[in-house]
Each structure stands twice: as structure tokens, then as C-alpha cells.
Amino acid sequence: MNPALLLPKFLFDGLFLGSYYGLIALGIAIIFGILKVGDVAQGGLFALGAYLTYTTVETLGLNYFWAPAVVLPATAGLSVLYGTTIYRKLRKNGIAATFLGAVSLLLIIQSLLAVGYGERVKTIESPLVPASVNVGGASIYSHKILVILVTAAVASLVWYGVRKTTWGRSLRALSQNYEIAVMSGINPTVTVGVAFALAGGLAGFSGFLTAPVYSITPFTGRLTVLKAFVVSRIGGGSVPAVLGLALALGLSESLTSAYFLGELSNLIPFLLLIGVALFRPGVLGPEERTWIESSKVEGESSAFPTFDGYLTLLLPAVFLIPVLVDLPAYFTDLGITVAALSSGVMSVDLLYGYVGLPSLVQGAFFGVGAYAATTVIVETGGGLALALLVAVVSASVLGAVVGVMGLRAGRHWTSFTFIMTIVFTVVATNLVSLTGGPGGIPGITEVFIRLPVLGRVDLNPFTSRWSFYLIVASVFAILFWLKGLIVRSRFGHSLEAIREDERLAESIGIPVGRYKLVAFTISAAVAGIGGALYAGYTTYINPEMFNFVTSFRFLMMDRIGGVGTPLGPVVGPLLITLLEDLTEPLNSYLGQIIFSGALIVTLAWLPGGIVGLAGRVLSKFFPGGNAGGTAEERGGE
Amino acid sequence: MSEILRVEGLSKEFGGLTAVDGVNLTVNGGKIVGLVGPNGAGKTTLFNLISGFLAPSSGDMYFRGKRINRWSVRRRVLAGITRTFQKSRVFPGFSVRENVLTAAHGSGGGGEFYDEKDDFLDWLLGTTKLAGYGDRHARDLSFSYRRRLELTIAVATRPELLLLDEPFGGTGVGDLSDLSRLLQLLRDEGMTLLLVEHNISAVAGIADRLIYMEKGRLRIPNG
């Protein structure tokens, strides 16, 4: 069959894709003007719209076209609710905090959908008759044509609203200069409220429109909202530009997917954004004021337990407890999991806590380490030492590459790393020969290590549990001490100076770019090791296990545990793993909801996380002493 | 005294705007040179060029006879050129002492001036009257102390040539005379200071030489 004959089909597919991308992108652009952040939670509202449509049709038995009456109030209402409460609070703490809050909300909404509707895929049929029409010799779904036409109508309305109404003028004024707009009499509450309602409505409406076309899952919309975000940023504040770009993107995706690249066509918008961002980093948004408050000290300059004294170096000894007391297997399992995760969290902490750059790509390096280790052990029969070495090297190399690009992204680090994670996941999912694609590859079943005197020692994690456990604990201890050394060194102190004021740091001779790159490479290496440890313990791995949710979880664990402290990156994963184990029997998504919510709480009210909170509580009982390391210890001479 | 800084035909254009236009300037060591002029004259741009934050469109810069056009900011700091900013910058989360230590660590600098100072940092904190504030967090400092800290940070990098961007900006009367004395002390010890200032009376009181800049060009006063 001549592929050219299908061209009309791919063109309409492209227009269809572009249409609903465009609708969501419009909503995101509208909010971005006020919030200066990409509201990725709209992806959750998109999914909600699809699900409510399903409920309307299947549960309530109504005609498909009644669904907007259910969808719109729900998604618009929810958008206004979280927009005027959560975002308003987070916005005061900076752009990075707001963006992380948006990601948390996305996860919460989608997890709630998973809890409410279950994970199994749902489908509904388009009510249109005939279901397909013949255009230019190809068979096109009528529903897709409907979506294209409806989008054109809705987009025109939005354009009219933004350009010609009082509300639209107020919105544009607030987007350009918030303070002056308010001072000239514009009511921000109403304008912002309407903006969120409109955006939420657009997202939900897109979900409604596409429900009969795609299968409905709680996680639908994640990739879509990110593509829409890209479109909204490059298109800027102009409705025709955003919509035009969306259509162009849809078409290029459809055509390249059909004729050249398959799934990799998903990468196009992100590569485009990265390309533009390398020339104009401003396309990622305004600069992120990434440091809110250090976990270490707030308010008075002394008398605050900081838990970063030399006593904390003893922490790894805790891992000996299950061995000495002969605790049940659960505890060694927990220990291995926490050690592996903590490595990932430490890697985030190095950047987030010390350089002041919240980083959302460590999950990918974790994955690289996992895959490297698995490949070495399973394919080549190498030992654990070799596996760790390959993991470190591959993660570091990739880390350096991303780091160099990241230097260009500057203070848009959070958004940039977020995009990179998506790129990694899509690429990894498609490099089937290397990664086994979505199906993954079987995990490590036999691990051995060559020790100097003992020779080859087999460490099957499932049969000789102490040996594997102790190896993992030892590797963790080394990483823990290494991180401690780094942050106490002059290099570490220079990183903190970069966090405090990058320009000033540069002006006193600190090689800012170079140091950031080194920090980023070390961080990637540490994450890679964590991944290698993790791979030794799971039965199989696939790229989705190292996607942005993983990266986000690391960051979440760091923030909740206490960013920028030695203990935080261990306390965080420990707490979260324990509580997830507790809630899993109820529902496997409950943990995600709780912790995403906890992250929002932490971002808004508890900058120091658990460790910071503990410190503050303890300082009430032990005022006047300094339980942690002093400035002199850290400054060094 | 030998020549510390020489600038020849230095120009900087931004699109159609010429911010610095063929500036020729020679500064000898151990002097305080004041650079005055209206807003938008190009004074800060000139600082950015000399300190390495901006690359020139044309012209040459020489520090102690070496051409520094292609030198990075870091290299210039290590060689002994340090600048401050119009809006005082400090490391807010660090204590005063940590602020100064960070600056002292990052650099080498040069000049006999420093060899003779045992416990340079204690001397520095004492001279800038910050000795008692070592543990105070920089973000908690009042404006005038912040200014002092800013200057301390700059001197902690052991510069030979110190470029100060509006050091008297917003300073009250009492602090003004303190600051003047401090700058003169640094000069007397052998440092070269180049000041951009709007407060002409303040800078005229201490400058060995005044240069007027307008529309990107230097105007040497007659006589």
C-alpha cells in the first residue's frame, strides 16, 4: 500500500493532535502570564475531563454531548481552587517552589483518579455517525474532524476574550507588570480567578473531546501537558501563535511518527524547546529564585541545632543494627531500599541543598546506573565492582553532557532538568535494543564480588541476605562520607557561595561554571551508583521506573527529609518508604497522594523539612547550645 | 609609581548604542581615581569591561603591562583586579566571617601590601570595624554594615586594583567620613582604587585625580 495515499489521514491526525495540544497550551499560556510558571497540573485536569466524560456516558447513561455540563464546572472549579490557594501561597516562595507544587498537584490529581476509577483502561465510543468518513481516499475518524472544528471555534472565543474584553485587558496588564496593574485599579482576584477557571475549563474540555479517541488512563495527559507547555512558551502570549505552533507541532509529530521515527516523534517538542532555550534561556520562563530558606539556620545566627556536626558521620553505623540484633528480613529489605534511594536523594541534595538548584533529572541517572550495572552483570558476567564502575562512568559522562547544556539554562535549572528527564525517558523507551523498551530487561539474579583474600564471593540478594546487605550498606556509607567530605571542603563552601549569590561568587574569583559542572557530574555519578545498587535488588527494570516521577520523588524525599543537611537525604527516603509500606495495602496510590501533599506543605510552610523541624523543636528544649557544626568548622582555614 | 592599568581605545557597543566610546586611560599605582559623570555615561560598563564581566567591542586593556582582554573574571581576580557592584552584594546566608573567608579563599592576588600583614583577615575585620560581628548573618546586617561587609569582601580577595561602584551611595554623614578614611588607608598601604561615584563632594575629598565621563567618553579637565 502506497504510504502516500495515507497522507490525508496523517494530516488530519496531525491537525487533530495540534488542536487539543493547542487548547491546553492556551490555558497554560494564560496562567503563565500571571503565575510565571507552567501549570502542569492541567494535565491532571485533562485526565479528569476524560474520566468525567466516561462517567457521564457510561455511569449516568447520558449522551456524550452532555458531558461538558459535568466536566467544565469540575475542572474549572478545581483549577480556581488550587490556583487561588496553593499557588498563591507557593508563589511567594519562588518560582521553583511553585513549579514543584504544580508537579505535586499533577501527581495528586492523577493518583486520586487511579484510586477512584482504578488503573484499568476505560474507553468510550464517539457518538458520531458515521464513525469514519472518506477524505481523499483515506478513512478519517469523524470525531477527529469534530475536534478540529470545535477547537477552531473555541480558540476564536479565547482569542476574542483575551484581546477584546475587559477581563482580557486586565489579564494582559497583570502579565506584564503585576504591581503596576494592581495599582491602576485592576482587581487581581477576579482576573486571576477567571484565568484559572478558563484554563481548567480548556484542559477539561480537551479531555472531553479526546475521550472517545484515546483509551482513558489516570496517567494520560502527562506527556501532553508538557508538550502544551513547550508550545505555550515558544508561542508566547499570542493566541494565533500558540495555536499555529500547536498545529505545526501536531502535524510534524503525526508525519514523522508515520514516516520516520515512530514513538521518537514525541521528542520533537522537547528538542525544539531545548534548541530554543540554548539561544534564549528566557523561553523557559523567568529566572528561578531557587533558594528560599536554608534548612540550616533561620532567624538568629546561633543556638540552632543543625545536625551537621561530626557526630552525623556515625550514621552509617545504623545499618549494622539489623545484623547485630538479627532482625527479620523486612529490615534488611528496608535497609537496602533506603540505601539505594538515599543515594539518589543525596545526589539531588548536593545540587539542591548546596548549589541551590532543584534538580529533576537524577532519576534518569539512577536509571542509567541501573541499566549499566544490569547489563554488565547479566550480559557480560562481570562482578559487582565492575558493574559499579561502569555505572559511575556512564552516569558521569551523561551527567557532564547534561551539565554543559544546563549551564546555558542558568537559573532555569528546574524547568530544564524536568524537560531533560522527559527526553531521557522517551529515548530510553525507544532504544529497545539497549533497554528492552517498555518491557524492560530482567534484573540481576546473581551478583558476585571479587575480594582480595576471599576470592569470588557470591552475593545473591535473595539467598545470602547479609552479604548483599552489607555490601550495599558499605557502598552507601562511602557515598555518605564522600558527600560529607565534599560539602565540608573549600569546594563545597564555594558551591554554597554560588547558591547565595552567583554573581558575587564570580566576582571574587570562584569559577562558577566549572564548579557547577563538577557538582553536576558528581551528583550524576552518585545517582548512578544508587541505581546500580537498586538494580541488584529488583527482578526487572524498565525505563518507566526511572522517569520524572522517580526524579520528583527523590526531590520530594530530600525536601521532606531536610534539604541541605547530612541526615535529610536519609530520613526522607526512610520515612516515605515506611509510610508507603503502611498505606500500600489500602491503595498503592495512597502513598503518592500523601507525599505529594506533604511536599506542598513543606514547600509552603516547612522549608527545613523534617530535620529542620526536629531541630527547631529541640532548640526549644536546649536553647543556647549549638548541636551542630559551627561556621568555623565548615569554613575551614 | 608604576602604571597599574592602561586602557587604549576601549569601546563597547550594544546593538546601536555605544556605551563606551574610545576610552584612553592610564592609572598609576597607589592612587585614588574618581570617575564621575551623569547617569548612563558608561561608567559601570567601563567597570564591567575592566573586570571582565563584559567583552569589549574594540580596544585593549593592560594590567601591569599585560594585555588582559581575553582574561576571564577569575583570572583577573587572581591577578589582583576586584570590583564591587552598584547594589551591595553579600552572601546573605553566611555569617560575616564566612563571607570574608570565602572571598579570601577564592583568590591569590598579589602585592607586598599583603605579605606584611600577619593575620590579614583579623586586621581586615578590625579595620572595617566588623570585628565584633563575625558570627552575625549577613542578611541581618543593617545597610551601612552591609556596605562595609561588601568592601571587606572585595579587599579580602587581596586586590591591587580595586574598582568600587558607587561606594558612597546612600551613605549617611557619619559613615561617609569613616569610609573616606578607610579608602585613604587602603590607598596609603599601596592599593589602587578606581571609584565610580555620583556623590562628587565625597569623592573629590579623597581622590588624587578626578575624571569626568559623559556619553561613553572621558573628558579630561583643563589645567
Side-chain angles (χ1 to χ4, degrees):
Chain A
M1 148 97 86
N2 186 348
L5 285 179
L6 290 173
L7 186 62
K9 177 176 189 312
F10 298 135
L11 286 175
F12 270 96
D13 276 352
L15 288 177
F16 161 73
L17 279 179
S19 295
Y20 79 90
Y21 287 169
L23 285 181
I24 304 175
L26 286 176
I28 294 189
I30 286 171
I31 293 187
F32 193 96
I34 308 172
L35 203 61
K36 307 301 178 204
V37 161
D39 180 14
V40 295
Q42 300 281 324
L45 296 179
F46 173 83
L48 178 61
Y51 270 103
L52 288 177
T53 307
Y54 170 84
T55 303
T56 309
V57 171
E58 297 291 328
T59 316
L60 298 177
L62 296 172
N63 182 285
Y64 170 77
F65 291 102
W66 278 109
V70 176
V71 168
L72 292 179
T75 56
L78 199 55
S79 179
V80 173
L81 184 65
Y82 72 64
T84 52
T85 54
I86 297 178
Y87 285 163
R88 186 138 148 237
K89 174 67 182 160
L90 288 179
R91 189 63 187 84
K92 298 196 182 101
N93 289 347
I95 286 178
T98 313
F99 182 69
L100 293 174
V103 179
S104 303
L105 277 172
L106 171 66
L107 294 177
I108 290 176
I109 295 173
Q110 295 197 321
S111 301
L112 283 171
L113 287 173
V115 171
Y117 285 95
E119 278 179 297
R120 239 173 317 142
V121 159
K122 311 247 185 287
T123 54
I124 61 174
E125 298 289 326
S126 168
L128 294 180
V129 177
S132 313
V133 296
N134 195 309
V135 176
S139 170
I140 318 268
Y141 279 129
S142 327
H143 198 86
K144 291 190 180 179
I145 301 180
L146 174 71
V147 171
I148 297 171
L149 294 173
V150 169
T151 298
V154 171
S156 311
L157 285 174
V158 172
W159 177 85
Y160 183 83
V162 170
R163 283 262 122 205
K164 304 281 186 191
T165 62
T166 314
W167 167 81
R169 240 189 333 272
S170 306
L171 178 74
R172 281 180 285 129
L174 285 170
S175 304
Q176 286 177 42
N177 191 320
Y178 197 87
E179 283 82 17
I180 293 187
V182 170
M183 281 198 290
S184 59
I186 291 176
N187 185 337
T189 320
V190 169
T191 311
V192 169
V194 173
F196 273 105
L198 180 59
L202 284 169
F205 192 66
S206 303
F208 152 75
L209 285 177
T210 56
V213 178
Y214 294 128
S215 29
I216 305 173
T217 75
F219 310 109
T220 187
R222 256 180 205 174
L223 202 53
T224 305
V225 75
L226 293 172
K227 293 178 188 173
F229 169 70
V230 172
V231 168
S232 75
R233 286 312 299 146
I234 301 182
S238 152
V239 172
V242 168
L243 199 58
L245 190 62
L247 290 173
L249 181 68
L251 282 170
S252 57
E253 215 182 283
S254 169
L255 292 172
T256 54
S257 166
Y259 292 117
F260 308 112
L261 296 171
E263 285 292 305
L264 283 176
S265 64
N266 276 322
L267 278 180
I268 294 175
F270 305 110
L271 296 177
L272 180 63
L273 181 66
I274 291 173
V276 175
L278 289 174
F279 292 102
R280 291 194 60 225
V283 77
L284 290 169
E287 302 202 343
E288 298 156 8
R289 187 168 47 87
T290 51
W291 198 245
I292 312 167
E293 262 319 302
S294 166
S295 308
K296 298 191 188 96
V297 194
E298 289 164 329
E300 278 73 41
S301 50
S302 61
F304 191 76
T306 54
F307 300 119
D308 63 358
Y310 289 98
L311 278 180
T312 60
L313 291 177
L314 293 177
L315 175 78
V318 167
F319 280 87
L320 290 174
I321 296 178
V323 184
L324 296 172
V325 182
D326 197 13
L327 291 174
Y330 173 76
F331 289 92
T332 44
D333 291 355
L334 182 67
I336 294 174
T337 307
V338 169
L341 291 179
S342 176
S343 306
V345 180
M346 284 196 289
S347 95
V348 171
D349 193 59
L350 189 63
L351 293 181
Y352 194 8
Y354 297 90
V355 191
L357 298 171
S359 193
L360 284 173
V361 71
Q362 267 62 15
F365 299 131
F366 195 77
V368 165
Y371 267 97
T374 306
T375 308
V376 164
I377 292 179
V378 170
E379 304 276 326
T380 69
L384 185 61
L386 182 64
L388 285 175
L389 184 66
V390 174
V392 167
V393 170
S394 30
S396 303
V397 167
L398 276 171
V401 168
V402 175
V404 168
M405 290 165 64
L407 287 180
R408 262 314 259 140
R411 285 278 158 201
H412 306 286
W413 189 269
T414 310
S415 316
F416 167 73
T417 53
F418 190 50
I419 306 276
M420 285 312 296
T421 288
I422 308 291
V423 170
F424 265 108
T425 307
V426 173
V427 169
T429 311
N430 283 280
L431 286 179
V432 181
S433 55
L434 205 62
T435 63
I441 59 178
I444 299 169
T445 48
E446 277 177 353
V447 182
F448 70 87
I449 189 167
R450 267 182 239 286
L451 292 176
V453 169
L454 302 168
R456 178 185 161 131
V457 176
D458 284 304
L459 306 165
N460 190 318
F462 303 105
T463 58
S464 55
R465 68 181 180 117
W466 296 125
S467 20
F468 188 73
Y469 173 77
L470 285 172
I471 294 282
V472 169
S474 312
V475 173
F476 165 78
I478 292 173
L479 288 179
F480 184 78
W481 289 325
L482 201 67
K483 179 181 175 251
L485 268 173
I486 290 174
V487 304
R488 281 177 174 77
S489 70
R490 188 180 296 189
F491 171 69
H493 200 67
S494 299
L495 292 181
E496 293 192 87
I498 293 173
R499 175 193 74 209
E500 293 293 315
D501 190 324
E502 195 170 315
R503 206 133 214 257
L504 178 62
E506 194 180 1
S507 77
I508 57 169
I510 292 177
V512 170
R514 200 194 314 168
Y515 276 18
K516 273 179 170 178
L517 190 57
V518 171
F520 200 65
T521 307
I522 294 176
S523 162
V526 171
I529 294 178
L533 295 178
Y534 182 79
Y537 199 56
T538 60
T539 45
Y540 98 116
I541 56 177
N542 76 0
E544 283 299 322
M545 290 162 75
F546 310 110
N547 64 6
F548 91 88
V549 179
T550 308
S551 295
F552 188 72
R553 281 166 58 82
F554 286 157
L555 195 139
M556 172 179 76
M557 290 173 184
D558 192 26
R559 189 83 218 201
I560 291 176
V563 59
T565 65
L567 297 182
V570 183
V571 167
L574 176 64
L575 209 64
I576 287 175
T577 307
L578 281 173
L579 287 178
E580 279 185 340
D581 284 348
L582 271 176
T583 60
E584 176 151 22
L586 294 172
N587 187 298
S588 48
Y589 289 96
L590 214 50
Q592 186 73 286
I593 295 172
I594 294 175
F595 293 114
S596 301
L599 179 63
I600 292 178
V601 167
T602 315
L603 288 168
W605 290 288
L606 281 179
I610 301 286
V611 172
L613 182 65
R616 274 203 297 281
V617 166
L618 281 175
S619 73
K620 294 242 181 357
F621 291 104
F622 305 105
N626 191 341
T630 61
E632 266 72 48
E633 277 184 271
R634 281 187 290 127
E637 282 260 25
Chain B
M1 245 290 188
S2 57
E3 166 196 294
I4 287 275
L5 175 73
R6 187 172 83 242
V7 158
E8 286 174 358
L10 195 64
S11 295
K12 180 66 182 173
E13 278 138 46
F14 298 102
L17 173 72
T18 307
V20 174
D21 191 2
V23 166
N24 296 304
L25 176 65
T26 303
V27 178
N28 288 323
K31 301 278 180 233
I32 295 180
V33 177
L35 186 59
V36 298
N39 276 327
K43 309 190 291 296
T44 300
T45 309
L46 185 61
F47 263 27
N48 284 333
L49 290 168
I50 298 173
S51 59
F53 276 90
L54 280 179
S57 306
S58 62
D60 294 308
M61 298 172 279
Y62 299 89
F63 178 70
R64 289 198 157 283
K66 294 195 208 129
R67 186 166 176 276
I68 62 171
N69 281 37
R70 313 275 250 134
W71 286 20
S72 65
V73 172
R74 171 171 162 84
R75 195 161 171 202
R76 296 183 207 208
V77 172
L78 289 173
I81 306 175
T82 302
R83 57 87 56 91
T84 62
F85 296 91
Q86 223 167 331
K87 187 162 177 267
S88 286
R89 301 186 98 109
V90 295
F91 296 118
F94 290 174
S95 69
V96 164
R97 200 169 173 86
E98 281 176 305
N99 265 271
V100 177
L101 282 170
T102 308
H105 278 155
S107 48
E112 317 79 35
F113 168 51
Y114 299 102
D115 294 339
E116 290 165 25
K117 294 269 174 299
D118 295 335
D119 232 335
F120 168 62
L121 291 169
D122 283 331
W123 172 85
L124 188 57
L125 285 176
T127 310
T128 53
K129 299 200 187 153
L130 283 174
Y133 294 86
D135 291 325
R136 190 76 69 85
H137 275 253
R139 77 170 81 87
D140 296 333
L141 291 177
S142 66
F143 175 76
S144 64
Y145 279 91
R146 209 178 141 99
R147 272 235 175 263
R148 258 184 255 183
L149 179 57
E150 178 198 30
L151 184 60
T152 312
I153 290 172
V155 178
T157 62
R158 302 166 207 250
E160 283 198 69
L161 172 64
L162 188 51
L163 307 169
L164 297 172
D165 203 338
E166 309 219 13
F168 290 105
T171 323
V173 171
D175 294 318
L176 213 120
S177 57
D178 274 346
L179 184 55
S180 298
R181 251 178 279 135
L182 181 54
L183 295 180
Q184 285 170 312
L185 175 66
L186 293 173
R187 186 262 324 265
D188 293 339
E189 296 277 357
M191 208 182 289
T192 310
L193 281 72
L194 181 56
L195 275 66
V196 158
E197 245 321 317
H198 275 129
N199 187 340
I200 299 193
S201 59
V203 71
I206 57 170
D208 300 309
R209 190 175 152 205
L210 270 184
I211 301 177
Y212 181 75
M213 190 170 182
E214 187 183 20
K215 294 193 184 133
R217 295 176 157 188
L218 299 189
R219 297 190 194 284
I220 313 295
N222 293 325

